[in-house]
Amino acid sequence: MPEIEPKNPALLSLEGLHLWHAPLSSCSQRVRIVLAETGKDYESHLVDLEKDEHASPEYQAIHPRGLVPALVEDGHLFVESIDIIQHIAGPGSELLACHDPELLKMGDEAQLDLKLLTFEFLFRGAPPPPAAAARRFQESHQNEWLKQFRRDFANGFERERIDAAVRRTSARFSRLNDLLADGRSYLAGDSFSLADVTWMPNFHRFALMGWPFEKTPYLQSWFERVSARPSYREALLNWQHEDVAGLFARYTEKRRSEGTGIASFGGLT
């Protein structure tokens, strides 16, 4: 759905680019990377997911499913990250010169597994929210899928569900590795494109979880190339606080030492 009608009429009068996003949201990271690559100025509207600001009536009037990111350009509202990055790049962009819609589609489909595995292997290391906060989220958020996901996370994901997500992720990374095995520099060919933008946050996130990328050496080399781009630091690393990265690293090591890290699921080892 490239563009939707705003429920909040105030959005119609906004001029320029306005982005509602969260620092650690992988979909937000995609959008910020494209904004950095294109050099476009935008007004930043941070949504604090830890405080459940995406469950507020005000934000759900912007994004009907209460997710991030959301982009408004001159009164036009876009709420899907794949649509947003294509819109920002625009016709004739170098980011679209080497275009592969299938890689964007595969990246979009990967988000549910990325979310589940992020919550299991990174966010589970944080203290659970107070019961009152959890109750308020269930009462105020209108996205039934997201509310069920939160309940599932609180109760603990089933081993079979985690294994299945790991297997699907492994298959996707293997496919990307096979593409790169022909000597191309980037996922869709010899030039950096939206396909690379789509997958950069995923690689970064799974590296935080301790994913065994040595099994996909071409993909590992690809990430060394794309992570050297200024947009990677500007749009992703600069939004990741050092204390958060440290917490993730300690929890990942704890899970690994206990034999319950991500590499112990889905037949990875």
Side-chain angles (χ1 to χ4, degrees), residues 108-201:
D108 197 31
E109 293 171 347
Q111 290 308 111
L112 292 181
D113 289 332
L114 175 67
K115 184 178 184 68
L116 185 140
L117 297 175
T118 294
F119 269 70
E120 176 61 32
F121 295 106
L122 294 179
F123 294 171
R124 196 168 292 285
R135 185 171 59 253
R136 281 195 302 272
F137 181 87
Q138 293 293 324
E139 293 171 349
S140 59
H141 211 294
Q142 302 304 306
N143 186 327
E144 294 299 329
W145 181 90
L146 187 57
K147 291 195 289 186
Q148 184 61 54
F149 180 87
R150 285 282 191 97
R151 294 194 294 270
D152 292 347
F153 175 62
N155 293 329
F157 299 130
E158 301 89 346
R159 170 84 193 210
E160 294 79 7
R161 187 173 177 184
I162 299 171
D163 281 333
V166 169
R167 285 194 296 269
R168 286 189 295 266
T169 300
S170 180
R172 293 181 185 112
F173 284 150
S174 293
R175 181 178 172 189
L176 297 178
N177 191 70
D178 290 345
L179 289 174
L180 292 160
D182 68 3
R184 67 182 69 184
S185 297
Y186 300 100
L187 293 178
D190 291 327
S191 62
F192 182 81
S193 74
L194 292 183
D196 303 289
V197 172
T198 298
W199 286 95
M200 285 164 67

Side-chain angles (χ1 to χ4, degrees), residues 169-244:
T169 300
S170 180
R172 293 181 185 112
F173 284 150
S174 293
R175 181 178 172 189
L176 297 178
N177 191 70
D178 290 345
L179 289 174
L180 292 160
D182 68 3
R184 67 182 69 184
S185 297
Y186 300 100
L187 293 178
D190 291 327
S191 62
F192 182 81
S193 74
L194 292 183
D196 303 289
V197 172
T198 298
W199 286 95
M200 285 164 67
N202 295 49
F203 191 105
H204 173 83
R205 181 70 56 79
F206 280 105
L208 291 174
M209 298 182 216
W211 187 275
F213 279 111
E214 64 274 8
K215 294 186 176 184
T216 50
Y218 297 110
L219 187 59
Q220 195 166 32
S221 296
W222 161 83
F223 189 69
E224 291 173 1
R225 286 190 292 277
V226 297
S227 63
R229 300 179 73 88
S231 62
Y232 176 72
R233 175 162 294 280
E234 179 181 340
L236 197 152
L237 290 185
N238 287 353
W239 291 87
Q240 178 179 281
H241 297 300
E242 290 184 6
D243 55 343
V244 172

Side-chain angles (χ1 to χ4, degrees), residues 1-2 19-20 27 30-32 34-35 63 68-72 77-90 194:
M1 188 184 298
L19 177 66
W20 285 262
C27 290
R30 288 175 178 169
V31 175
R32 292 197 302 264
V34 175
L35 287 165
H63 195 309
V68 289
L71 179 89
V72 172
L77 174 62
F78 305 85
V79 296
E80 298 290 345
S81 66
I82 295 298
D83 294 328
I84 291 172
I85 62 176
Q86 293 179 91
H87 174 76
I88 293 172
L194 292 183

Side-chain angles (χ1 to χ4, degrees), residues 240-255:
Q240 178 179 281
H241 297 300
E242 290 184 6
D243 55 343
V244 172
L247 288 171
F248 287 163
R250 289 190 290 275
Y251 185 65
T252 295
E253 176 56 27
K254 177 178 182 293
R255 293 285 296 255

